[in-house]
Amino acid sequence: MGEGDSDNPPGIGHLEANDSQDNQQLSVNDKQDNGENGSVTKPVDTEIKEEQHLDTVFPVTIVLPHQPYKTQVPVSLQGQVQDLRSSIIEQPSTFQYTCFHLEHNGQRINDFSEMSDIKGLAAESEIRLVEDPYTEREARMHVVRIREIIGAAGDRVDTLYGINAGLSLHDSVSPWTGLEAGSAAKQNAANSKLTASANPIADFDFDSPALIQTLLPLNEESSPKTIKGLCVSPWNPPPPSFRQRGHLLYLQLTTNEGEQFQITSHISGFFVNKSSNIKFDPLPKSNPKNAMAHSLLTLIQTLSPAFRDTFDALLELNNKRDPLATFQLTSAIPANPWLVSATAASATVHQSDLTRTQETYLLSGVENTETLRDWNEEIQSTRELPRETVQDRVFRERLIAKIFAEFNDAAARGAVLVARGEVAPLNPTESKDAQIFVYNNIFYSYGADGVGTFTSEGGDEAARVAVGKDVAGVRSVNQLDIPGLATPGTIIVDYLGKRLVAQSIVPGIFKQREPDEPQVDYGGVEGKDVVAENAAFVPTFTQVSKALRVKKHPVWDKEGKKHLLEASVETKGLLGTDGRKYILDLYRLTPLDISWLEPYWTDSPCHGSKPQERNYPHRMSVLRPELVEACWRAKMGEYVKAELAKRKNDQRTEETAEAIATSNSNTPHENEDVTMNGTSTIEAKDAETTKAQGRVDISAFSFSLNPDVFCGQSPQTAEEIGEWTNDERDVRAVTDHLHEKIIPELIHDLKESEVGFPMDGQSLSRLMHKRGINIRYIGKLATLTATESPRLQALKALAEQEMIARAFKHVANRYLKDLPPAMTSSCLAHLLNCLLGYRLNGSPKAQLDEDIQYLYKDADYSFTEVTPKSVRAEVEGQAQLRYRYTFEESWLSSFRLSQLLREIAIKLGLQLLARDYQFSPESEGHAKPMTDGSAAQPMVNGHAVNGAGGKKRKKRNGGDSPPPSASASTTSEPSVTFTADDILNLVPVVKDSNSKSVLAEEALEAGRISMVQNQKELGQELLLESLSLHEQIYGILHPEVARVYHQLAMFYYNLDEKDAAVELAHKAVVISERTLGLDSDETILSYLNLSLFEHANHNTAVALRCMRHALELWKIVYGPSHPDYMTSVNNAAVMLQHLKFFHESRLWFEKSHSCSEEMYGKDSVSTATLAFQLAQALALDQDHKGAVNRMKEARSIFHNKLGADDRHTKEADSWLEQLTANAVSIAKHAKDVQAQKVRRALFTPRVTLRTQPQAPIGRSSSEPINGHSSQAVGGLDNRSIDELMKYIESSGDTSRKTPTKKRKNPRSRRP
């Protein structure tokens, strides 16, 4: 049975598909339930078909001014001219062109127009490239680009991106060479080269610890150096007299031959001038060194004879790499690995590059004003673009995604500078938490209660939560994309223990209004004491409220005056000076979670402290929007069912009355027939009206919640009090739905494998949020899963690990908040030693630099007083405070410390030195730091390293000798697990408010629905359209594009289009690694799916490497024995079986079977299915007795669980009969052979050495001679299976009962 067998009984499925399929199904249901808001499939399908003629891709010829003079580029009428320009400059033959314009039929093409605007453009049309004169900005951009192309840009030190940001290991694990790799003949030849001992998973150890090397890149071939240097000349900028002559820049070039050239950048191009290091003469140089070219690349080729060869070698090296692994990320912040090799962090990597200090000038100009942008105006203007046609929507959403990506990048960089104290505040006299900043036209503030706004809600804790909820609210409103309603660009950045909010500056937000004029135009002005109303905001706010299930409700100000609001009183409307309506403070779009606040929160008493059972840190515990949406769906379902039942009852009543009236007018005999006929008539009419009944008018259905209940509002009249009471009851019903339905369903689904089991804290958090469960309920989740079920025990352990990581984050942030950046490494290392390294050193001491400590006398160094006991107490306290969960004694000893370290590093943005950290004296020796490609184990990134050599070395040194790292550690063993030098970097953790593309999501959803409805052709067309839209809108290197690649690969795999599935899966892996992380759960899932697809495409060798890498990543992320581990192990066993490595396959099937017994029990259908496969593997490995035993187990479970008539039971019966007959025949044969040996030993006469005993006449030598009749190999015995089993198990008794005595070893005799 292969890994793609769809006949498996319930309980067995592919982990690789579980999570994805679950997401797809939920999305389909979401759209179907939301049908009253408008059909999804129809408008998208219609619009796409209307614009289908624009999506034709055809080649055009680009006429060039220099060699090769012509080149072809594919274009689409749906694209932009900018896309065509990008395609031109990315081709190797046209690298040198940056400053040019395009002409078609003698007419200049506008660079910012659409391709469909070019008249007469068709296939094979010619477009002429015309070189333009340079401006200073164009010249600077040209220099920057040429430096990057020729590999002279060197390494960049970035304040936002970490070390090895955007790294991909794909090329070292599973390099993909294109669609030609799908040739079955080629792949079969590659597979045949594998041997059982040399396959990629031959030495995989299920129980060994995780390999850190899995996350490190292999040593790559160094790029050839094309030139020694290219920088801005010290003679720059040009004097006014030469600027008048067209001089723009002066450059200095040093070639590999050692020659130095001074180059002038002129409006006409670049030429070598007469200047030297001590003499300034920027005029053209005379022969023989005079040279000029429009492109700097062409000029360098002319000046340096060695440049051509080295540049070609550089291009060849770049072509060996997957382009997606080398392209610069522009539409998403790259993922930063939490482990960094010593090689990447060493000082030798940082090379001397003078131009690195000049890049700011090259990019931004002398005045550094080119990068200053009015972010708010750009964001709002882009969102106001037309959206009538598909092309309008694509262009608009593409620009929206671009501007938000650029804003997020700039805002995050500014936040890092603010957190490090590099930006002066606008109000330096205020307290630190109240200070505000403006940098790069972006407004910054701390996520703390600096001015006392949240004093009654929990102070700083409430403010920190509020800004996080505000970003989520802005994202929700952005997703609605309501015309006429504006939101500022907003992100939050967690860095160095601080939370900063970055927003685009809303025009008029700092404007001081008249004393009697409120500062905002709609909503609460000063909390709920002053409330403003403005009819101009009602229409747009109504749309927001309707979409987010917010009820229109009254609120009362401090004077008792009633105000009717469309949103929460905390949500504000501001009329900007630009005339736009802005919606602000969206942190309370949903009601408070009263079921949590009532038992765990109370207002601070006037004297003393809160009681421990009601000391939750803040009152900002709101319900998740997903929960409100789930309740809306449930209420909608109840309403539709009630309407259908009511309609059906009314219909039956009418039909029954009509039948009775008819029966009364007939004879008794006829009456009986008519009654029977009447009943069938009713049923027939019911069937005819089913379709009509299925259409229920839901205009009368209403479900919305009041977000201001339980917030101190004071209704005045009895009617208002009654309405308010009803609103409170509705909110309580939602919280009851959460506790009684949502949380138990999640636990049930995880227990019964209805959804993919989370791999780490991030995937668990996403799963909870998707179901509408707040993270504060993770403690309840852990409490409810304290059962004997192994899967729920695993869930409990994962939830506890997540609580500890989050609790430690809060503890660390408290110590980091007031520390200077130079002391953060020492602080973090000490805290980690106290939490994770206490076994190695029970009383670690903080490492402080006294000189730095002397410089920052006012800093808070309280972290130096922390001990392991106090850290554990603080972590326990935070878990009890925030999640209401109490850990057992010695709780830390039961956790996987490496996985906990990973969770902490990701949450705090740490980049640690990659080495095997020693957590206890009993663990292996303190390993040396890992460099790129270092291999302490035989497998790294799916490839064998030092495989044979390791065995020889082991044999030579002796099997019991410790590894070199262990022996080295005995001489210089450190006293602590972590040192300050292990903390290489801290990167900001960014949460943005970007919305998804509505158009791309609609096309994707429409394609899914069409596939579910078995409209494969339409579905495939829509899915391809969705992929194209995702790529156009987001750019290729984006997490959303990776997810679409992943889903489409699954679709194509199910459609048996394997080549397309493999191609998309490879792309999904690369993009996931670079944007989500090398070891993110989505990356692991992508590798597992890629393994399946490669195997289906006859490329099992690569499939096994992908499987090996995924399993190693799984160990790093979760550790061994993940609940869904067995599915991937089973898939690997099937692959080995396909390669005819039957013994190795058997071992993996046995591991899969044991995992199933551990997780599901010995009597589960899952275990039976794996026992069925294991029996087949045992039979192939010639273990016939074991095969019969396993098949008998499988048959018994199928019979008990599924019944005797089930297909799986019958199949097991058939296999059991065949295996039993085969085993009986082999056992008989073995007995006969043994009997022949005994008989010859006792009765045969002495024969010569060469004489062979002859078989009796009429009997072959293979038949038994003991008088029993033999059965044919394929024949069936008349005895029962139990009797046959006894016979098989006694097959070896004859040899044990032979009367021959065993001779003693002569060497053991004593004289």
Side-chain angles (χ1 to χ4, degrees), residues 9 12 32 47 114 224 313 343 439 470 501 538 545 565 576 677 723 811 839 858 940 1014 1119 1123 1137 1149 1297:
I12 283 293
Q32 291 172 339
E47 288 182 350
E114 301 173 4
T343 302
Y439 181 79
D470 182 44
V501 188
V538 173
S545 301
L565 296 182
N677 293 334
E723 182 182 358
V811 172
R839 296 179 189 170
D858 298 332
V940 179
N1014 205 27
Q1137 195 175 84
F1149 274 122
K1297 293 179 181 179

Side-chain angles (χ1 to χ4, degrees), residues 622-799:
V622 297
L623 300 174
R624 289 198 64 83
E626 296 90 343
L627 175 63
V628 176
E629 197 67 18
C631 291
W632 178 86
R633 291 196 193 111
K635 295 290 185 182
M636 168 69 75
E638 294 174 1
Y639 176 82
V640 170
K641 289 179 181 179
E643 287 295 312
L644 289 175
K646 180 181 177 182
R647 187 178 300 178
K648 189 172 183 179
N649 290 336
D650 293 343
Q651 183 72 17
R652 285 189 175 275
T653 302
E654 294 177 2
E655 296 293 341
T656 303
E658 181 181 347
I660 293 174
T662 305
S663 64
N664 290 335
S665 62
N666 291 295
T667 62
H669 179 70
E670 294 173 343
N671 186 27
E672 183 179 353
D673 294 337
V674 170
T675 303
M676 295 173 60
N677 293 334
T679 303
S680 62
T681 302
I682 294 174
E683 293 176 351
K685 290 186 176 181
D686 282 345
E688 292 174 0
T689 57
T690 298
K691 186 176 180 179
Q693 288 179 348
R695 298 171 184 168
V696 177
D697 181 13
I698 61 173
S699 58
F701 173 76
S702 175
F703 177 83
S704 56
L705 299 175
N706 183 347
D708 288 324
V709 294
F710 308 112
C711 292
Q713 291 291 330
S714 302
Q716 304 297 314
T717 65
E719 181 182 358
E720 293 171 351
I721 294 174
E723 182 182 358
W724 205 259
T725 302
N726 292 335
D727 291 345
E728 291 180 348
R729 186 176 62 249
D730 291 341
V731 173
R732 290 185 185 275
V734 173
T735 59
D736 292 342
H737 184 75
L738 170 66
H739 292 278
E740 298 171 4
K741 182 80 171 175
I742 301 296
I743 295 178
E745 276 188 355
L746 174 61
I747 295 174
H748 174 270
D749 291 346
L750 288 171
K751 180 181 179 181
E752 301 299 328
S753 302
E754 298 293 333
V755 294
F757 199 91
M759 298 183 189
D760 58 358
Q762 289 177 302
S763 54
L764 176 60
S765 301
R766 279 202 311 272
L767 180 60
M768 292 177 64
H769 288 165
K770 180 180 175 182
R771 297 293 183 99
I773 305 172
N774 299 85
I775 289 296
R776 58 178 171 269
Y777 286 107
I778 193 172
K780 181 175 183 178
L781 200 66
T783 303
L784 294 176
T785 53
T787 65
E788 296 181 358
S789 169
R791 287 181 68 87
L792 294 186
Q793 289 177 0
L795 178 62
K796 177 186 176 183
L798 190 59

Side-chain angles (χ1 to χ4, degrees), residues 154-167:
D155 63 305
R156 289 189 173 94
V157 179
D158 201 288
T159 58
L160 176 61
Y161 304 155
I163 306 170
N164 283 345
L167 178 66

Side-chain angles (χ1 to χ4, degrees), residues 67 445 518 560 611 671 699 954 958 1033 1072 1084 1101 1162:
Q67 289 184 348
S445 61
N671 186 27
S699 58
K954 180 177 179 181
I1033 292 170
S1072 296
I1084 297 175
K1162 295 185 177 181

Side-chain angles (χ1 to χ4, degrees), residues 458-528:
D460 288 347
E461 289 280 357
R464 182 182 179 91
V465 174
V467 295
K469 298 295 183 184
D470 182 44
V471 169
V474 173
R475 188 187 307 117
S476 298
V477 174
N478 286 345
Q479 191 65 45
L480 298 176
D481 202 10
I482 298 173
L485 186 64
T487 57
T490 309
I491 69 167
I492 57 175
V493 179
D494 292 329
Y495 184 64
L496 297 179
K498 308 174 184 67
R499 171 163 286 188
L500 290 113
V501 188
Q503 294 178 305
S504 61
I505 301 175
V506 176
I509 195 170
F510 296 122
K511 178 183 177 182
Q512 291 295 328
R513 302 195 180 188
E514 298 296 329
D516 57 342
E517 187 179 4
Q519 286 296 110
V520 297
D521 299 286
Y522 191 81
V525 180
E526 300 172 1
K528 57 179 182 289

